[in-house]
Amino acid sequence: MVCGRTHKALAILSLLLMGWAAAGRAAQDPRHLPLPVRVVLSQVYPLMQKKDYSRAVERLLAFQARGGPAPPAGTADPKGYHHPEIYYTLGNCYLLQGRHPQAVAAYSQAVSRNPKHTYAWLNLAKAYYEGKSYAEAARCFERAYESSPERNPEHLYLAAAAQLMAGRHAQSIALFERLLAAHPQAVQPEWKEYLVHALLAANRPRRALPYIRQLAETYTGEKQMQWQEILLYQYVQLGMSAQALSLARTLTEKAPTTAKWWKALAHIQLNAGRNEEALAALIIYSFLTPLSREESQLLADLSLQVGIPRKAVPLYESCLREKRDKEVLQRLIYAYRRLGRSDAALARLDRFAPKPDDDPELLMLKAELLYDLKEYHRAAAVFRRAAQVEGNHAGRAWLMAGYAAWQAQDLEAGRQSFARAARYPGERKTALSVLRQIQTEAP
């Protein structure tokens, strides 16, 4: 955004500057020029108006050649063979041809002979800019500002913008601050945008906040929303929770049908640990715009966390139909179990993970569901299968296999499973205790 708009601003000014050359006018009052200079310029301007820049350049170079080598700046040149206006006009011809190095050389001669030649400084800045020498362009825009009695604030702004283009953020900020101090009434909102970009790029977001607030208040429509969003983002990034929450609430009140504000409010509430408020905001958001898969999962997670598993179930299932995901499946199973629907949970597990044999977590989950449903023989078999897959779950899997077999009245299978569980430190005490109990119950 910065580069595009800065380039646009410079291009507009360049067209204005080139109007001097195209219209056939000298930047300096012709009455103050030596007669030979006035004569050659009167011959060159018609050529420039016809866009015959090559012949114009030939005429100017031939005129300079008549005067011999260029004398040092500040020495006598009564006939003006190397007058600043000759170099300025020569630079214009080169610039209009897109010959930037030659334009830079000509304009540089013009300003060395007349440091107060504002238009030469401006066109030198343009030549540097179009050659992508942004720092040099900035220097020349600043010199143009300083060389003019009127002190045009736009020139200082362009110097700051060019420094921003050059990635020289500190220098850009310094120029913007100089501009604000010298011409506070002339500063346009768009200029403040570039100051904000410079401050953010320089990692000075708190210094940028006042300008972001001003822009959010000044603009209307889409641009206002853009800067409101930037302000909200900065509040969140800076940990200014109270300001972020206040702004998000204000935005939802003023524009209740704008989905992005409800989404922002939901995330701010979520970051603050207010899950119920976050859920309420996200539900309103879901009424205003279709949810992405990630947003649907978040809505489901919040519903589950605040104790509304019935709301979470269809959202998780929708996510799983779009993309199989083990974590989402586990949460769906948990939601169903919260509803007392282990049968439905088992059906969904078989549907979305029909072959869980290589995944001990899913095997354990399936066995637990079978245990919930009192299908103890099947549960014991699945627990044993899970125990045979390497992992930290093995001890618990053997322990649960023992319990399932015990419930199924298969005492021998239970003894074997508890004996295997006793080999694991975490389950040893419990397994041995159950084995003693089984021993006393044995016929």
Side-chain angles (χ1 to χ4, degrees), residues 250-303:
T250 298
L251 293 172
T252 55
E253 290 168 4
K254 289 185 176 180
T257 59
T258 302
K260 69 168 66 176
W261 302 142
W262 290 104
K263 181 178 181 180
L265 179 58
H267 282 283
I268 291 168
Q269 297 282 26
L270 187 61
N271 289 338
R274 292 188 283 266
N275 291 345
E276 291 186 3
E277 291 85 348
L279 176 60
L282 199 57
I283 288 173
I284 296 173
Y285 173 74
S286 71
F287 293 150
L288 297 171
T289 187
L291 298 181
S292 67
R293 185 180 183 280
E294 291 73 18
E295 291 164 348
S296 293
Q297 184 175 333
L298 176 59
L299 183 55
D301 290 344
L302 286 172
S303 299

Side-chain angles (χ1 to χ4, degrees), residues 149-163:
E150 292 80 15
R151 295 295 174 100
N152 187 336
E154 188 172 22
H155 300 162
L156 204 53
Y157 154 67
L158 287 167
Q163 290 285 21

